[in-house]
Amino acid sequence: MSRRDLLLDGAGVALGAALAAIPMTLPAAPAAPRPLDPEPLRSLGRRIDQAIGAGRLPGAVLWVERAGAAPYTAVFGQRAREPEVEPLALDAVFDVASLTKPVVTGVLCAQLLDHGRFELDDPVARHLPGYAEPAASAGGGALTVRHLLTHSSGLPAVLPLDPAWQGAAAARALALAARPTDPPGTTFRYSDVNYHLLAALLQTWTGEPLDRLARERVLQPLGLRDSGYLPLQQHPATRLVPTERVGSEVLRGQVHDPAARRMGGVAGHAGLFAPAADLATFARMILGRGTLQGRRVLSGRAWAAMTTSQSPRGLPQRGLGWDIDSPYSRPRGRVWPVGGFGHTGFTGCAMWIDPASQGFYVFLSNRVHPTVREGIVDLYEAVGTAAAEACAG
């Protein structure tokens, strides 16, 4: 062996000894996501079963999820009780009633706000042909887009159903003729009329019908193929969850809300049908600040407008479509703090999203089948509390 080889060999031995003396610290493996705590959800399941046994609702689907953890899903009770009993399934499509407000109308308004089509404090009369500003009856204050979105318009809660009317044009005329009973910006009244006018504004701004806007700008970008208006055009009736018996007919695939039904099923305040899995996907997009798996539905500005209070000072807090802190906030439960947001639907639906914990729940039921029963707001509160406890681990 040459002197050079001996030197290299000796250096290698020395280097090896030196490396062996250095303690090797490998990077720690990432911690496994903390699973949801099952105990609050088991207790909640017993309470839901009790409510079903007491006849308060026929059945329900529950979805609870926190980012990084496997979701919890459960099915309770039945899909239908009339004209015959049918089992419920996780993929059942529900009439989600006023969840239409944030999922469709709120998102579309946030998108167009970001695109500069309007500002929140623009007078409605500036954008909506045929709307006459009621200066005298409203105390002189202009009705603005902000007032509509945050239920601070002072407008009546619903459109009149008598005398009988039919069609979207008739509904629009009634909404345009509605007048505030209180000066805009001074009182909080939850009002479907607000969302009739917002739907009219969306169609004026875009020239597109509302169901097409929902499909092309919200549902398709998120891959929500099982959700939409007019569900009988895409689903067999057997997949849809029935609601109320009206006369001799049980509504199935026809929207439960009477004004939306007279309009043909497409409205800004109601009309969306969806399964729990699609609404869970939507909630993930909201937790992702408008983005899901590289697909952006809301810009950062639009997301912030939706999910933070836009209400006039001193009134209950509402975002664009979302409830944040108001008399309607019991679905938040008793654990999650103010700062999240959610909504309910008259048919028996609720969802709440809590960015602080990165958790959410979707609860879908048809409490109005086969007849309208008492509200289940206490059950929503129990769901919100159990979901928060489960997400906390």
Side-chain angles (χ1 to χ4, degrees):
M1 181 179 293
S2 70
R3 184 172 182 275
R4 177 178 177 274
D5 291 337
L6 286 170
L7 289 171
L8 290 174
D9 188 54
V13 171
L15 179 61
L19 289 174
I22 299 173
M24 300 297 290
T25 303
L26 297 175
R34 188 177 74 257
L36 298 175
D37 182 352
E39 184 51 40
L41 299 173
R42 282 194 288 263
S43 178
L44 173 66
R46 292 190 289 270
R47 179 160 180 174
I48 295 172
D49 283 334
Q50 289 170 358
I52 292 171
R56 299 185 68 191
L57 65 164
V61 168
L62 174 65
W63 190 299
V64 181
E65 187 172 325
R66 188 192 65 238
Y72 170 89
T73 61
V75 178
F76 305 88
Q78 300 156 343
R79 181 190 310 256
R81 289 182 174 170
E82 292 187 9
E84 58 187 27
V85 173
E86 298 176 32
L88 186 58
L90 184 63
D91 69 349
V93 176
F94 287 78
D95 176 345
V96 300
S98 284
L99 289 183
T100 306
K101 291 180 172 77
V103 175
V104 174
T105 309
V107 170
L108 292 172
C109 286
Q111 289 173 341
L112 292 178
L113 174 68
D114 187 52
H115 296 162
R117 300 299 294 271
F118 69 96
E119 295 296 332
L120 288 175
D121 292 318
D122 285 352
V124 171
R126 180 183 301 171
H127 295 279
L128 195 55
Y131 184 79
E133 188 65 57
S137 62
L143 178 69
T144 69
V145 182
R146 181 189 303 276
H147 296 142
L148 300 180
L149 282 160
T150 60
H151 296 291
S152 57
S153 66
L155 287 167
V158 296
L159 293 181
L161 297 178
D162 295 318
W165 55 268
Q166 198 72 31
R172 179 172 176 144
L174 287 170
L176 289 171
R179 291 295 175 262
T181 59
D182 300 275
T186 65
T187 190
F188 173 80
R189 178 188 298 129
Y190 183 87
S191 168
D192 288 347
V193 178
N194 293 328
Y195 279 72
H196 284 286
L197 291 173
L198 288 167
L201 284 166
L202 286 167
Q203 292 173 71
T204 298
W205 288 325
T206 65
E208 300 286 348
L210 185 62
D211 54 339
R212 182 183 300 169
L213 289 172
R215 183 173 62 251
E216 294 180 353
R217 301 190 183 202
V218 184
L219 305 178
Q220 287 181 347
L222 289 171
L224 307 186
R225 290 182 290 273
D226 290 330
S227 300
Y229 291 98
L230 308 175
L232 289 170
Q233 295 181 2
Q234 62 182 124
H235 297 299
T238 52
R239 192 173 170 194
L240 307 176
V241 177
T243 55
E244 190 176 3
R245 185 195 323 110
V246 177
S248 60
E249 178 187 12
V250 173
L251 298 176
R252 191 163 197 159
Q254 294 177 284
V255 62
H256 177 263
D257 180 87
R261 193 161 66 248
R262 290 188 185 187
M263 294 169 65
V266 178
H269 71 291
L272 181 67
F273 285 71
D278 276 6
L279 292 176
T281 298
F282 179 85
R284 286 186 214 111
M285 178 273 292
I286 294 293
L287 284 176
R289 302 179 70 86
T291 301
L292 180 69
Q293 298 176 343
R295 293 167 290 181
R296 178 166 287 283
V297 175
L298 293 167
S299 71
R301 176 179 183 244
W303 180 88
M306 272 202 83
T307 59
T308 58
S309 179
Q310 304 300 328
S311 297
R313 187 182 298 274
L315 295 185
Q317 297 179 41
R318 306 282 301 201
L320 305 191
W322 292 118
D323 175 71
I324 296 173
D325 190 28
S326 82
Y328 294 87
S329 297
R330 283 183 68 187
R332 180 175 63 233
R334 299 184 301 276
V335 175
W336 273 332
V338 174
F341 34 84
H343 215 281
T344 62
F346 183 83
T347 50
C349 305
M351 66 186 301
W352 201 270
I353 302 171
D354 180 61
S357 67
Q358 288 287 287
F360 69 85
Y361 75 82
V362 175
F363 179 82
L364 303 181
S365 82
N366 56 336
R367 72 164 185 94
V368 296
H369 174 75
T371 58
V372 175
R373 298 168 169 79
E374 63 177 1
I376 55 171
V377 177
D378 61 316
L379 195 56
Y380 298 155
E381 183 178 58
V383 175
T385 299
E389 292 171 343
C391 288

